[in-house]
Each structure stands twice: as structure tokens, then as C-alpha cells.
Amino acid sequence: MTRQGNPKVRILKEELLSDNWYVLKKLTFEYQKQDDTWETQAREVYDRGNGATILLYNRAKQTVVLTKQFRMPTYVNGNDTGMLIETCAGLLDRETPEASIVRETEEETGYRVSDIVKVGEAYMSPGSVTEILHFYTAEYSEGMLAGEGGGMEEEQEHIEVLELPFIEALEMVRTGEICDAKTIMLLQYAQIHGLLEPEVKPLHILIAGPYRSGTGDDPELLEQNVRFMNEIALQVYEAGHLPVLGEWYALPLIATAGSKTIGDDVFNRIFHPSSIRLLDCCDAVLRVGGPSQGADEMVRVAEEKGKLVYWHLDELPSVG
């Protein structure tokens, strides 16, 4: 008998070896080689149906939901405990892949998802197993939790539900703690396609540059420095962030407080201290321009406070 699709293959005989759990057959066939001669081969083919798997992820928390359970085949082949960390998965069981994975997700993890996205399908062990696995992703939230998960007792499933930071899951792939193929594929898909990149919100950025440095307190040069930082601030604003200069706060306060000249007691009491106070209300510092002890101090204090420090405009995150 010849199967439609490949004229170079002639199936001669099918032998049923086992129908105990799933179907195991021995297929004897002829295969036409490149020199047009025919070669007889025999292969065992295990048909357990097709399956589906899904990666649940939470963008706000930067986490993924995985499962952990005992897998006998891994136990007899080098996995000391037999426990395997995996994405939720299951056989289709006469359902569509979409219906199957929605059902499996709730049974195994407790989450009732609806907006699932198919990202592909693949043969997982094409040398011996017929299975095609359908791959999905879906965002989850605490509000979707409809049960405890853990699998079906009547199917002898004893599943532990894991919620892990995405970065930790990727590290577990690197170290080999996660060694399941479908799970690695979905985690790497999420990494490549930026599924777990947090939404970038506008940053409040302090522009730190020279004000008095190199000016000799010449009013025109001081104004030039402020104008330069204002131009940088405009670019920061147009990039979607909220810029601020310490000078915007300090100079009006200094004038109102009665400063008579740059560098007098009133000036010194307000100028740098106000910028330090302002820094507590900012997310980041953008260091611009030439040498400036004051600007360098803003960078130092920002680093001590755990603030972000940028040195170029193109380093700023894009606001979506």
C-alpha cells in the first residue's frame, strides 16, 4: 500500500505491537533513494495523539506559571527525582487544540484563561512519536483564578503549581533545572518576542549639567548653559518622559529669598540643596555637558539612592 503525498515511500506492512495505553505499530516500508533504487526499512511508530501546551505570563508582575510533576520516563533516564518543571500541557482528547488547552490550564493551574494566542506547532520527537504539539501563550491575573489546580485525581495527576519570576525561569533553563523541551521553547519565545517586557512608563528625569563651571559667573555664559540644558530637556520631553532642571526650582527661590549675587550665602543655602531634595522626587538623572562638580554630585547622590543614571539621550527607554 502507498500513502498519498510522497511517491518515494511505499508502506508494505503495519504490525500492531501494543494497544495497551496508546498505539504502537511497526511499519515496514520501501524508501526510494537518490540513485532511484528502493530500500526496505522498518520503524516503530508510537501514536499517542496530538497535544497542546501554554505559557501563562503576567506582564505587571513579570512572572510565569509553570507546573511540576513526576515523569517516569525521565526517572529511568537520568532524572534522579523524576520531577520535571513544565508549561501546562495535555493531549487533545477529541477536542480542538484551543478548547483542550483552556481546559487543561484550569485543571492543572486553576487559572481560567480565554484570550489565548497560538504561536506555532511542532513535532516533538519525530523519529518515533507521531505527536504534533500546539503552542500557546496567555496573560493571567489573580482574578482569573477559578480553583486550586493540581490536575485530575482520577487521572492520577499530582501537579504542583509554580509561579516564578520570568528572569528566574530563564536562569533555570541556563542551569538545566528546567530541561523540558516545550517549556524551553515557550520561555525563549517569550524572551525573543518581548512578552514579559514591562510597559515603560514616563520617567521623571533630572537634567544634570554645568551651570557655573567655566563661566566665571558671566551672566551670558550662565544663560547659555541653562539654554543648553533646556534644549536637552525638550528632547527628553519629546521622548515621552518628564524632564526637570534643578535651576528651574532653585533660581526663582534664590531670587525671592533676596540673593544679591551668585555664590552668596542665600545662593549657597538653596542652589545645591534644592537639587538634592528634588532628586528624591525623580526617577533618574541624565548627565549632560562638560565638567561640573555639582552635576557629578547629582550623579553620585542618585547612585547612592538607587536612581537610574543615563549619560546619553539614546539610552532613555522608549515609552510605548
Side-chain angles (χ1 to χ4, degrees), residues 53-315:
T53 184
I54 191 167
L55 177 67
L56 301 182
Y57 67 97
N58 185 299
R59 194 185 304 269
K61 295 167 61 177
Q62 292 290 287
T63 53
V64 295
V65 169
L66 302 176
T67 64
K68 186 176 183 179
Q69 59 185 307
F70 179 77
R71 295 296 198 184
M72 175 57 79
T74 75
Y75 186 59
V76 299
N77 191 29
N79 183 359
D80 290 341
T81 66
M83 304 302 292
L84 209 65
I85 297 174
E86 309 173 48
T87 49
C88 170
L91 296 178
L92 301 190
D93 196 21
R94 299 195 181 117
E95 298 172 299
T96 65
E98 291 78 11
S100 175
I101 200 58
V102 168
R103 172 183 54 78
E104 288 285 351
T105 300
E106 185 169 348
E107 289 176 0
E108 292 193 3
T109 71
Y111 288 96
R112 185 175 296 159
V113 296
S114 55
D115 295 329
I116 62 174
V117 177
K118 186 169 185 180
V119 300
E121 55 188 64
Y123 292 99
M124 296 304 292
S125 189
S128 58
V129 181
T130 62
E131 180 186 26
I132 295 174
L133 193 62
H134 300 262
F135 290 79
Y136 295 88
T137 62
E139 293 196 58
Y140 76 94
S141 66
E142 296 306 315
M144 297 177 183
L145 200 57
E148 295 182 359
M152 304 293 288
E153 183 67 30
E154 58 267 28
E155 296 181 10
Q156 297 182 310
E157 292 180 325
H158 308 285
I159 298 171
E160 180 184 353
V161 182
L162 306 177
E163 184 177 45
L164 300 174
F166 179 54
I167 191 170
E168 181 179 333
L170 291 176
E171 178 64 14
M172 292 168 76
V173 171
R174 189 190 70 80
T175 62
E177 191 173 353
I178 291 178
C179 53
D180 171 67
K182 64 182 180 296
T183 307
I184 294 171
M185 292 167 71
L186 278 173
L187 289 171
Q188 290 182 340
Y189 176 91
Q191 182 181 33
I192 292 169
H193 292 271
L195 296 189
L196 271 293
E197 288 181 357
E199 182 181 355
V200 178
K201 296 181 179 180
L203 300 175
H204 194 201
I205 300 176
L206 176 65
I207 312 299
Y211 174 63
R212 297 178 65 189
S213 299
T215 67
D217 291 338
D218 182 317
E220 290 188 7
L221 296 179
L222 293 171
E223 183 180 347
Q224 181 177 311
N225 280 342
V226 172
R227 186 164 57 248
F228 166 74
M229 287 187 284
N230 283 341
E231 291 169 353
I232 297 293
L234 178 58
Q235 295 179 68
V236 170
Y237 180 82
E238 290 177 341
H241 301 285
L242 183 63
V244 66
L245 271 63
E247 287 77 6
W248 293 352
Y249 282 86
L251 295 179
L253 292 174
I254 288 168
T256 302
S259 174
K260 302 300 183 184
T261 183
I262 292 177
D264 64 14
D265 290 342
V266 173
F267 182 96
N268 292 333
R269 178 169 59 86
I270 295 176
F271 190 75
H272 280 298
S274 67
S275 293
I276 298 293
R277 192 178 302 178
L278 175 61
L279 190 55
D280 284 331
C281 303
C282 294
D283 302 302
V285 167
L286 173 61
R287 175 67 167 92
V288 299
S292 169
Q293 290 183 352
D296 290 341
E297 177 158 357
M298 292 301 102
V299 170
R300 180 186 63 78
V301 173
E303 291 175 337
E304 288 180 354
K305 292 178 178 290
K307 308 285 184 176
L308 299 168
V309 175
Y310 299 104
W311 299 88
H312 302 283
L313 278 166
D314 57 11
E315 294 177 354

